[in-house]
Amino acid sequence: MNAAEARYVQPKAATNFFNETVARLTRMGISVYGSRVLAVKGRKTGEWRTTPVNPLSLADGARYLVAPRGNTQWVRNLRAIGTGELRVGRRTEPFTATEVADDDKPAILRAYLKRWKFEVGVFFDGVDAKAPEEKLREIAPGYPIFRIEPAAR
């Protein structure tokens, strides 16, 4: 495993507080700037695990989940299981996920940072939406991204 694959940023207390607040509001049906609760079955336990996420929708209709903190547990579970749910209130959207290749990440990272840098910028070490293409390619391996598509119910 190389350094980019091993990249994981441990959440601080403030991050945990923020995430729990967003998750609580989202579970109540109040989406915070597009937030959803991601539910993925654990790769070892098979039990549902949840965390708040910011799905990214692009103009072409493609949707993505970006992991700003790197190889988190939800990333590992989604890689292993390949399916999950996005929840807001009582609405549940099942999806299938395909991991995006590093070469395809720069445009997605740029769009993600443009939309959510105010919230996740701390995890990007000063890189923002105006970064040169080369810089986005350089950091891409440390930021897992999944393309999500609706699953058959």
Side-chain angles (χ1 to χ4, degrees):
M1 183 180 295
N2 67 35
E5 290 172 336
R7 182 183 169 278
Y8 169 69
V9 178
Q10 180 76 27
K12 294 185 166 104
T15 301
N16 286 334
F17 175 77
F18 179 79
N19 283 346
E20 186 50 43
T21 301
V22 170
R24 187 177 307 112
L25 289 169
T26 305
R27 282 192 297 269
M28 291 171 42
I30 303 167
S31 176
V32 180
Y33 206 60
S35 66
R36 296 290 183 269
V37 172
L38 169 65
V40 180
K41 287 189 178 181
R43 63 194 179 282
K44 296 176 184 174
T45 65
E47 295 178 19
W48 286 102
R49 305 294 183 190
T50 60
T51 191
V53 293
N54 295 319
L56 176 67
S57 296
L58 297 183
D60 65 2
R63 294 178 69 205
Y64 299 92
L65 292 177
V66 177
R69 293 190 304 106
N71 286 300
T72 61
Q73 292 299 324
W74 74 258
V75 167
R76 294 173 185 158
N77 290 336
L78 196 52
R79 279 183 181 140
I81 305 297
T83 62
E85 296 177 353
L86 291 176
R87 302 172 180 171
V88 61
R90 294 182 180 177
R91 293 178 304 224
T92 299
E93 177 189 353
F95 66 86
T96 59
T98 305
E99 193 158 5
V100 174
D102 290 343
D103 286 344
D104 298 328
K105 290 180 183 178
I108 300 165
L109 288 170
R110 188 178 307 284
Y112 187 78
L113 285 164
K114 191 173 189 179
R115 172 129 181 168
W116 283 295
K117 184 178 186 315
F118 71 94
E119 184 179 324
V120 300
V122 65
F123 304 119
F124 284 85
D125 298 323
V127 176
D128 64 17
K130 296 176 183 172
E133 181 86 5
E134 308 81 58
K135 184 63 178 175
L136 293 172
R137 284 192 183 287
E138 178 186 319
I139 69 166
Y143 295 87
I145 299 175
F146 296 87
R147 182 179 175 129
I148 57 172
E149 299 191 18
R153 288 194 178 238

